[in-house]
Amino acid sequence: MSDPDLREQISRSITGMTDAIAAEAAAKVAREAAIGQVLENVAALRAEAENRFDPSYLAVVRHLYWHHKVIPVAELVEASGFGYVAELLSAIGPVKSGVVCETCGADIMRTSRSWQPPRRYWNNPVECETCQKASRDVDYRQRQLQALREQYAQQARYRRQRWTGRSRSSWCSPTRRSACRSQVMMTTST
């Protein structure tokens, strides 16, 4: 390829890149305008609703919150007439995630936009919150029971040592081992 052909191709590539950047910026402006229009419509719908807990109004807000993540949460909260995100979430409630609990068979619910499906770690099943809490409680009780068993065993060893006097390890400690052997030999030889 000659040098002028290469420069012409580079020039066309730069023009194409510039056009793509301009189209992306125009699409972003159009998206922001559309989001603004949606939020204005939500505010108008809120004004028409009897209260902000009207089921048909909450259905619209629920759909926008859970299925249109491009709408900023803070702006949706403001347009829908709620004071803060937790208040909005308590009003619209969680939504089914499509993931089923392997323990009880219930649908696992999404409680926030950033929710991710639970992953299977090691051999643990994918569980709903209720089953996870029950599993944690069982694990906690088993650890507590094991700790109590160890504590009782340790106390029994201590009591046994006190009952018999000294522990066997103290009878023939490394510093006194030769003396112990000589005492044992003397008692067996006589």
Side-chain angles (χ1 to χ4, degrees):
M1 241 196 278
S2 67
D3 194 31
D5 290 340
L6 184 58
R7 288 181 187 210
E8 186 178 320
Q9 285 182 352
I10 291 173
S11 176
R12 277 187 266 146
S13 297
I14 290 173
T15 303
M17 180 180 68
T18 306
D19 292 343
I21 291 171
E24 182 180 1
K28 185 175 181 181
V29 168
R31 184 182 77 191
E32 294 299 322
I35 289 172
Q37 185 64 41
V38 167
L39 293 172
E40 287 175 14
N41 291 338
V42 168
L45 186 61
R46 183 192 75 217
E48 289 178 9
E50 293 177 16
N51 62 30
R52 63 183 178 179
F53 297 104
D54 182 26
S56 61
Y57 172 67
L58 286 180
V60 170
V61 175
R62 181 180 298 114
H63 176 77
L64 291 174
Y65 179 82
W66 289 114
H67 300 292
H68 297 282
K69 291 185 179 183
V70 296
I71 299 175
V73 175
E75 293 178 21
L76 182 61
V77 168
E78 183 181 338
S80 60
F82 291 98
Y84 45 91
V85 178
E87 187 180 10
L88 171 77
L89 283 174
S90 67
I92 65 173
V95 67
K96 291 180 181 179
S97 67
V99 179
V100 177
C101 175
E102 293 178 7
T103 304
C104 69
D107 285 323
I108 297 177
M109 303 300 280
R110 286 180 63 186
T111 55
S112 73
R113 278 182 165 182
S114 60
W115 181 88
Q116 294 293 320
R119 294 189 195 110
R120 178 187 297 269
Y121 291 105
W122 303 98
N123 289 328
N124 297 336
V126 174
E127 294 179 320
C128 63
E129 255 182 69
T130 307
C131 293
Q132 284 177 353
K133 184 178 182 321
S135 295
R136 282 192 304 264
D137 289 346
V138 167
D139 291 344
Y140 175 75
R141 280 186 251 126
Q142 287 175 345
R143 284 192 307 273
Q144 289 297 101
L145 183 61
Q146 182 64 30
L148 283 174
R149 285 179 181 154
E150 290 172 7
Q151 180 182 359
Y152 291 147
Q154 185 178 11
Q155 288 174 354
R157 282 192 299 271
Y158 176 74
R159 285 189 200 115
R160 195 173 330 126
Q161 288 173 1
R162 287 192 62 204
W163 180 259
T164 60
R166 302 169 103 190
S167 67
R168 289 184 177 238
S169 61
S170 67
W171 288 348
C172 294
S173 64
T175 56
R176 299 184 56 194
R177 191 166 284 147
S178 62
C180 287
R181 285 186 190 144
S182 62
Q183 286 177 355
V184 170
M185 293 178 123
M186 290 168 64
T187 56
T188 56
S189 62
T190 56

